[in-house]
């Protein structure tokens, strides 16, 4: 649509569902006037704010953002960490995740969530470390999108930024310190992060349900040991271990959980440990997105392929001979509750892997149209559309009533590629409540 062309008048559309409040409340407020798009965007708040050009000048940067992590204060969610002068170190090189049965000591710090004033999907760390030979420092990041859903954790390094599967406006960082086999431990002096949004990156929001597959389960036991998220194991615990940090829940949370079905019943349990066998085998992901062992099909653990098919010479990722095909460890309480008396196969649903609603593409109109963190123009602007384009809509909600050129609409659409909401007034469609798009 040209800058000097006013939008096509939009008809009134009434929802069929009586429980939905004015699902397409588009009401003529008076005689329509021939107003340019820029004038429409500048309507005052008193007249009902438009979503475009109402909070910042056009040249306000929406590029990369940088912040420095505070490593000096305890976070309340850390394991085996000591601090001196703001430097992170391992407190005891004998402490290690129980399920992985690694000989190397490990410490972990979960930093507080960092709120951003823009949407991002690529995150790069700049970490100042001391690394004795054979030791490691790993920085993992994840993000929370505008619908409140967390991505999986992704490892990030200076030369290989973490690329998240969708745009986010809240970022959390986890620092992992791993001692060398001889006990020599690394230290971390500082950590800074930079993030940006790559709107041209390929996206994977689909209607696929959570992955469900059958894998071999073993009983973790190891009472008194410490899990990868810092939980001390008890005899009646209910949690599971999976062989990748990508689906590891923070201590005490169930943000990443599985539904395990055994011979007797099913149980939903959080992922609190990393193992068995591998630590970088996120087999529940598509082969193309898998961290390691990308030549294996989705749903097949590396240990299963190694034990039954001789994959990788029958060895796990650390070079150990695989002695069973386990793809999940069950804490004692979970193990017996689902009806197992011996190790055996169970059906597992990886509950966080469901992608939710499919997206539907629509054209937009207008210049410098703002994308908001919430469905109101008073919310933080997280991205901006410089001109007419095509956007992918995942869902829509009723939010702030927006008025332009004598028309009003309270519908806003969530754009997963931008991590925020756009007023439906700026979507070039005859219906104010978009057809075929579900409610968020």
């Amino acid at each position: 649509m040209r800058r000097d062309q006013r939008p096509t008048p939009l008809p009134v559309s009434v929802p069929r569902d009586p429980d939905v409040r004015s699902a397409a409340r588009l009401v003529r407020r008076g005689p329509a006037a021939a107003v340019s798009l820029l004038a429409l965007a500048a309507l005052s708040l008193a007249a009902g704010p438009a979503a475009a050009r109402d909070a910042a000048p056009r040249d306000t940067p929406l590029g990369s953002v940088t912040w420095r992590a505070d490593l000096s204060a305890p976070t309340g969610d850390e394991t085996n960490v000591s601090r001196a002068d703001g430097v992170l170190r391992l407190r005891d090189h004998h402490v290690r995740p129980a399920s992985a049965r690694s000989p190397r000591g490990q410490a972990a710090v979960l930093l507080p969530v960092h709120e951003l004033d823009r949407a991002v999907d690529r995150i790069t760390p700049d970490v100042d470390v001391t690394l004795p030979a054979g030791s490691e420092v790993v920085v993992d990041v994840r993000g929370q999108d505008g619908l409140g859903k967390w991505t999986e954790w992704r490892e990030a390094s200076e030369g290989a930024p973490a690329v998240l599967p969708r745009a986010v406006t809240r970022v959390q960082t986890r620092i992992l310190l791993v001692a060398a086999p001889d006990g020599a431990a690394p230290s971390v002096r500082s950590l800074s992060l930079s993030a940006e949004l790559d709107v041209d990156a390929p996206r994977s929001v689909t209607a696929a349900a959570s992955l469900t597959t059958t894998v071999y389960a073993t009983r973790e036991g190891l009472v008194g040991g410490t899990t990868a998220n810092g939980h001390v194991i008890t005899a009646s615990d209910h949690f599971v271990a999976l062989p990748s940090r990508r689906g590891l829940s923070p201590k005490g949370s169930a943000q990443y959980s599985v539904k395990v079905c055994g011979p007797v019943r099913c149980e939903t349990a959080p992922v609190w440990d990393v193992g068995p066998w591998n630590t970088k085998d996120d087999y529940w992901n598509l082969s193309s997105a898998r961290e390691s062992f990308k030549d294996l099909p989705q749903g097949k653990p590396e240990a299963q392929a190694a034990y039954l098919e001789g994959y990788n010479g029958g060895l796990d990722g650390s070079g150990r001979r695989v002695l069973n095909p386990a793809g999940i460890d069950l804490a004692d309480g979970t193990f017996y509750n689902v009806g197992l008396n011996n190790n055996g196969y169970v059906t597992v649903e990886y509950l966080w892997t469901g992608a939710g609603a499919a997206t539907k593409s629509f054209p937009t109109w207008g210049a410098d149209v703002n994308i908001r963190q919430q469905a109101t123009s008073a919310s933080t602007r997280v991205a901006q559309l410089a001109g007419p384009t095509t956007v992918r809509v995942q869902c829509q909600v009723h939010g702030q009533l927006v008025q332009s050129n004598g028309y009003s609409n309270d519908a806003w659409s969530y754009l997963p590629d931008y991590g925020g909401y756009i007023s439906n007034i700026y979507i070039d469609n005859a219906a104010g409540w978009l057809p075929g798009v579900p409610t968020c």
Side-chain angles (χ1 to χ4, degrees):
M1 183 175 290
R2 301 189 309 272
R3 280 179 178 264
D4 60 352
Q5 180 182 355
R6 73 168 181 243
T8 303
L10 303 180
V12 175
S13 176
V14 180
R16 295 182 180 179
D17 186 347
D19 294 331
V20 177
R21 177 179 59 86
S22 56
R25 190 171 58 180
L26 232 67
V27 182
R28 184 179 290 276
R29 296 292 184 183
V35 183
S36 73
L37 297 186
L38 293 182
L40 291 178
L43 287 176
S44 68
L45 291 177
R53 295 175 63 88
D54 59 351
R58 184 174 182 175
D59 59 355
T60 299
L62 282 172
S64 63
V65 59
T66 301
W67 68 99
R68 185 182 177 91
D70 181 7
L71 304 183
S72 62
T75 67
D77 195 338
E78 51 193 48
T79 304
N80 194 33
V81 171
S82 70
R83 281 184 176 82
D85 302 322
V87 179
L88 302 181
R89 297 182 175 86
L90 272 78
R91 187 180 67 248
D92 181 352
H93 69 84
H94 294 99
V95 175
R96 60 208 63 174
S99 180
R101 294 170 171 82
S102 170
R104 305 170 67 187
Q106 180 174 304
V109 176
L110 184 68
L111 297 176
V113 175
H114 186 77
E115 300 273 357
L116 301 175
D117 63 356
R118 66 205 69 187
V120 302
D121 60 3
R122 296 173 64 88
I123 303 165
T124 304
D126 181 3
V127 58
D128 183 7
V129 300
T130 298
L131 283 177
S135 66
E136 293 180 75
V137 170
V138 179
V139 176
D140 292 332
V141 297
R142 66 173 181 168
Q144 191 176 43
D145 63 21
L147 300 177
K149 185 174 181 180
W150 286 104
T151 70
E152 282 190 336
W153 294 97
R154 288 291 186 268
E155 185 175 334
S157 65
E158 187 172 357
V163 179
L164 302 181
R166 55 190 180 275
V168 301
T169 55
R170 306 176 80 226
V171 174
Q172 189 166 35
T173 307
R174 182 174 63 198
I175 305 174
L176 190 71
L177 297 89
V178 183
D182 63 2
S187 60
V188 179
R189 289 179 291 276
S190 68
L191 171 66
S192 296
L193 300 109
S194 62
E196 60 185 346
L197 178 65
D198 182 2
V199 295
D200 296 322
R203 306 296 179 177
S204 58
V205 178
T206 69
S210 303
L211 176 72
T212 298
T213 188
T214 298
V215 295
Y216 192 78
T218 49
R219 183 176 71 87
E220 178 158 343
L222 303 175
V223 173
T226 303
T227 67
N229 72 356
H231 171 75
V232 177
I233 301 172
T234 69
S236 58
D237 257 332
H238 290 260
F239 69 85
V240 306
L242 292 176
S244 169
R245 296 192 310 274
R246 287 185 166 184
L248 180 65
S249 291
K251 184 178 179 180
S253 86
Q255 291 170 358
Y256 306 95
S257 294
V258 297
K259 181 179 179 181
V260 184
C261 295
V264 175
R265 64 180 60 87
C266 299
E267 175 182 313
T268 298
V271 183
W272 282 359
D273 208 355
V274 176
W277 298 110
N278 291 295
T279 60
K280 294 187 176 183
D281 183 22
D282 52 323
Y283 61 82
W284 50 87
N285 282 321
L286 292 170
S287 298
S288 58
R290 202 162 166 163
E291 185 176 13
S292 301
F293 316 116
K294 293 178 178 293
D295 54 339
L296 291 176
Q298 182 184 24
K300 178 179 286 189
E302 189 276 344
Q304 177 180 320
Y307 183 78
L308 297 178
E309 303 165 15
Y311 177 84
N312 194 36
L315 308 177
D316 71 1
S318 299
R320 299 177 297 183
R321 177 66 56 183
V322 175
L323 303 179
N324 60 52
I328 189 170
D329 256 352
L330 308 182
D332 287 3
T334 301
F335 185 87
Y336 294 116
N337 185 48
V338 300
L340 292 175
N341 292 312
N342 296 298
N343 298 337
Y345 285 93
V346 294
T347 300
V348 181
E349 181 180 1
Y350 308 83
L351 297 175
W352 70 92
T353 60
T359 59
K360 192 170 184 179
S361 296
F362 294 90
T364 69
W365 65 271
D368 303 332
V369 175
N370 291 323
I371 311 300
R372 299 290 179 181
Q373 194 171 58
Q374 302 297 331
T376 168
S377 61
S379 180
T380 300
R381 182 187 71 167
V382 297
Q384 190 177 68
L385 305 180
T389 186
T390 298
V391 295
R392 297 193 315 143
V393 174
Q394 184 172 352
C395 57
Q396 55 191 335
V397 297
H398 296 291
Q400 179 191 10
L401 184 67
V402 175
Q403 296 179 342
S404 279
N405 200 23
Y407 294 91
S408 61
N409 193 355
D410 69 351
W412 292 68
S413 289
Y414 182 72
L415 311 182
D417 296 342
Y418 297 90
Y421 295 82
I422 183 176
S423 168
N424 281 13
I425 276 186
Y426 293 96
I427 293 182
D428 193 3
N429 189 274
W433 186 258
L434 299 179
V437 176
T439 302
C440 296

